[in-house]
Amino acid sequence: MITEWILDTLIRALAVGTPLLWAALGEIYAERSGVINLGVEGMMILGAFFAFAVAHTSGNPALGLLVAGVVGGASALLHAFLSVTLRANQYVSGLALAMFGLGLAGVLGRGWEGIPLLNTLPEISGLTYLGVVLAVVLWFVLYHTRLGLVIRSTGEAPAAADALGVNVARVRYLAVVFGGILAGIAGGFFSVAYRPSWTEGMTGGTGWIAIAIVIFAGWDPLRAVWGALLFGALYYLSFRLQTWIAPEALRMLPFAFTIVALAATSRRRRGEGAPEALGLPYASGEK
Amino acid sequence: MLSLRGITKTFPGVLANDHVTLEVRSGEVHALLGENGAGKTTLMSILYGIHQPDAGEIRLRGRRVHIRSPRDAIGLGIGMVPQHFLLIRRHTVAENIALGLPGERFVRPARRIEPRVRELGARYGLAVDPRAAIWQLSPSEQQRVEILKALIRGAQALILDEPTSVLTPQEVRGLFDVLRRMKQEGHAVIFISHKLDEVTEIADRVTVLRRGRVVATLPIAETDKRSLARLMVGRDVEFQVRKAPRTPDGDALVADNLVVLSDRGLPALRGISFSVRRGEILGIAGIAGNGQRELVEVITGLRPARSGRVRLLDHEVTNLSARALHEAGVAHIPEDRMLMGIVPAMSVAENLVLKQYRYPPFSRGPVIDRQAIAQFARRMIAEYEIVTPGSDVPARLLSGGNIQKLILSRELSGRPEVIVASHPTAGLDVSATEQIHTVLLQRRQRGAAILLVSEDLDEILALADRIGVLFSGEIVGIVSGAEADRERLGLMMTGQRV
């Protein structure tokens, strides 16, 4: 009984952990390049809606995910334009993107609610395994390749990278858009696999948890795997324990833990903290 | 090998370079000498592709070149070691050098250049562990990384911008050995400095800039310190401020076993004790980052002491607020003028009363008396010779030296018992430095106790009655100013007790 319960929890943790991992991996790359994108929730919900709409119309859930990635990338491009080219405040721009995404998905999604999806993807699908493989690949690229060195340098000291001929703006654009693509796919997972349907706000704050995982994982793609699993379990438990504990209290669980995790990881040794130039716009030739 | 001809560059309102011509040969160290604002850095920014000249041309081995970006400069074999290092603190030495290096392979680029870093390090005397992270290195080692970065990119001409400002005297000698080796290997070295001793020691030829113009280019053998100073400033310069003898009175400021944490929560001061007497200047020497900032902040009330005590004229003042300490008679001349010394957007007059605005005659009850403030400002501007278009212009428009005089006049107007001066002349030109030194010595004469924290050994040696050396949060030793010499202080700055 109890082993069954634990096993069940683990499987469900993997299921919710999948979109958390994808979104967190994308955000890690964006933040490593020096751009924080708080719009993950917005990019995910847009991805969720478009994945559902395309999967429903075409009957192909994989195509839905693909379109979700494109939509996520496109919305991230907006954030990149605001924060890299216009050098707007990254936090404000990201928050705006989150609100904008939720609102737009809500408007577009009217009339789509309650429609069942015939062709779906399994909860534990290739996306889960692919997520882990992706984490390993992204880890290797980040720490052991020229591209990774360029991305990390851009996030740590853009002026130093610039002086050596690195195109800081281009690196940041690419990293942010890449993050958006992963966030879009993560959102799509909700509507074509996890709960194959469309409901407004169905990503349920997982975008914010993904951002917490990034910090929890110390901006390391490999450690994000464990973070996603942990938060996935918490997220699932917040539904499972409803028989015993008030659902309102439980719904706070992942977010309460986010606060705890942030408090616990705020004092880190050097070399583990946030990229030094995170959140700071960069313009060549300025001091 | 390299020649800049008729370079002219105007920034809004300033003629930074006015038909500057500079010829640099292979195998020579060419010093570029001038005061702040003389146009040295602008000229080098043009050579390195950061700025474009309005007029003039750059020729490399006789061929005219256009340098539009640092990347172009690197491609042409021009390297630069900036005054503020452009290094990624969290990355390793090899990663910093490999970044953006053309032709490096995709996987593990840093690993492959390690042997080259070692080889070049051995050849030029620039030993540094390629796998060490930058933040673990001393400023001197970080400078070596910057030089290696340029050399590995094939720099034939190397620009060093104020390279000795972060070094101890021993490290300066090490750097000069490196420069001599580079000279032998046929490199051209452009050495930017305003320190005459160093220029006369290392340079083969010197070009002196004043107000954007070249005043002279001379072989170093045909000149001396005094005439270089005259060329640089445009008048005769007193090298030694006259320091009148004065016997100090009783203790004014006493620190007892102070333990203070840094921003990162690590001990920055590990139980230090010292006293400053009335009518005495205690100099605190040391390389930046050894606890100087924390020392200044704990005494001026900007940082709490974890343990230990501070006493001011026999009153316990440990962990009082900055305002309480100011009212008790502690003046603070902060290290970062623009950030901590003034409110840049507020007027000169407002900045002058930032600490006294709450008291009569500047305010009556909650209402501020603008007239009284303006009157006070006019008096201070006259007394301290602050050059400003008026008392109502924003303080940020003043030059560094005049901002410092503004701060000095505000801090000293209340006749403080203790003056904490942190890097009071950093970045100032010879004339402003002279004025500030004179003011500090006057205050000493009148009985103020002065704690002078500076990285400039010449300044400490010229002013201090006693000198304490901070290393890694401890006072290595306190020596009398009369007995101190650069050698000994330099050794103490690396933690050796001598």
Side-chain angles (χ1 to χ4, degrees), chain A residues 171-287:
Chain A
V171 172
R172 289 187 164 181
Y173 258 92
L174 289 176
V176 170
V177 168
F178 176 73
I181 292 171
L182 294 201
I185 294 173
F189 177 86
F190 275 95
S191 62
V192 302
Y194 187 68
R195 265 182 292 174
S197 61
W198 165 251
T199 2
E200 200 182 335
M202 72 182 300
T203 46
T206 42
W208 303 107
I209 297 178
I211 293 169
I213 291 172
V214 172
I215 301 168
F216 179 76
W219 291 267
D220 180 336
L222 271 191
R223 291 220 299 252
V225 175
W226 305 113
L229 203 60
L230 178 66
F231 279 89
L234 281 169
Y235 197 77
Y236 169 65
L237 282 179
S238 70
F239 291 98
R240 183 66 186 262
L241 298 176
Q242 278 183 15
T243 341
W244 302 284
I245 306 169
E248 289 81 7
L250 279 172
R251 239 171 280 145
M252 297 190 311
L253 191 64
F255 302 98
F257 190 74
T258 300
I259 297 172
V260 173
L262 288 181
T265 51
S266 68
R267 282 174 181 243
R268 281 176 192 271
R269 285 184 289 117
R270 223 186 192 135
E272 285 193 322
E276 279 189 16
L278 182 62
L280 305 175
Y282 175 72
S284 188
E286 263 185 29
K287 277 189 183 164

Side-chain angles (χ1 to χ4, degrees), chain A residues 40-61:
Chain A
V40 180
E41 181 76 6
M43 301 188 293
M44 281 176 74
I45 195 75
L46 282 174
F49 170 72
F50 278 96
F52 179 78
V54 170
H56 185 268
T57 318
S58 70
N60 185 345

Side-chain angles (χ1 to χ4, degrees), chain A residues 32 140-141 143-154 156-157 159-167 267 269-276 285 287, chain B residues 41 48 50-51 70-71 74 84 86-91 94-111 135 149 153 264-265:
Chain A
R32 279 293 191 153
F140 183 81
V141 168
Y143 291 106
H144 296 286
T145 69
R146 205 171 63 201
L147 177 65
L149 181 60
V150 167
I151 293 173
R152 283 186 290 132
S153 303
T154 306
E156 292 286 340
D162 190 23
L164 294 176
V166 172
N167 187 332
R267 282 174 181 243
R269 285 184 289 117
R270 223 186 192 135
E272 285 193 322
E276 279 189 16
K287 277 189 183 164
Chain B
T41 304
Y48 198 59
I50 297 167
H51 295 307
R71 188 167 226 176
I74 293 167
H84 304 286
L86 284 171
L87 295 171
I88 298 149
R89 297 178 53 75
R90 233 171 345 206
H91 291 182
E95 282 179 324
N96 268 280
I97 295 173
L99 176 64
L101 202 59
E104 267 317 311
R105 61 178 184 171
F106 188 73
V107 174
R108 296 180 176 274
R111 206 42 71 79
W135 62 266
K149 236 162 80 175
R153 285 169 171 73
R264 282 184 287 125

Side-chain angles (χ1 to χ4, degrees), chain A residues 18-196:
Chain A
T18 300
L20 286 176
L21 178 61
W22 280 69
L25 287 175
E27 181 68 8
I28 285 176
Y29 262 55
E31 293 196 12
R32 279 293 191 153
S33 81
V35 181
I36 189 162
N37 185 352
L38 295 182
V40 180
E41 181 76 6
M43 301 188 293
M44 281 176 74
I45 195 75
L46 282 174
F49 170 72
F50 278 96
F52 179 78
V54 170
H56 185 268
T57 318
S58 70
N60 185 345
L63 183 66
L65 284 180
L66 197 72
V67 172
V70 173
V71 170
S75 50
L77 191 63
L78 188 68
H79 179 63
F81 177 69
L82 284 169
S83 58
V84 179
T85 304
L86 301 184
R87 305 202 293 129
N89 183 310
Q90 295 178 9
Y91 296 88
V92 175
S93 163
L95 285 173
L97 179 58
M99 298 302 157
F100 169 75
L102 285 167
L104 184 65
V107 172
L108 294 174
R110 281 194 185 176
W112 291 84
E113 297 214 24
I115 303 172
L117 193 62
L118 297 176
N119 294 314
T120 66
L121 287 174
E123 262 182 29
I124 307 291
S125 62
L127 230 47
T128 308
Y129 308 115
L130 201 60
V132 177
V133 172
L134 193 65
V136 175
V137 170
L138 290 181
W139 170 83
F140 183 81
V141 168
L142 196 57
Y143 291 106
H144 296 286
T145 69
R146 205 171 63 201
L147 177 65
L149 181 60
V150 167
I151 293 173
R152 283 186 290 132
S153 303
T154 306
E156 292 286 340
D162 190 23
L164 294 176
V166 172
N167 187 332
V168 173
R170 191 170 67 190
V171 172
R172 289 187 164 181
Y173 258 92
L174 289 176
V176 170
V177 168
F178 176 73
I181 292 171
L182 294 201
I185 294 173
F189 177 86
F190 275 95
S191 62
V192 302
Y194 187 68
R195 265 182 292 174

Side-chain angles (χ1 to χ4, degrees), chain B residues 15-20 38 208-216:
Chain B
L15 185 57
N17 284 159
D18 185 4
H19 294 89
V20 172
V208 185
L209 284 179
R210 190 167 76 225
R211 294 203 192 117
R213 289 208 193 94
V214 173
V215 279

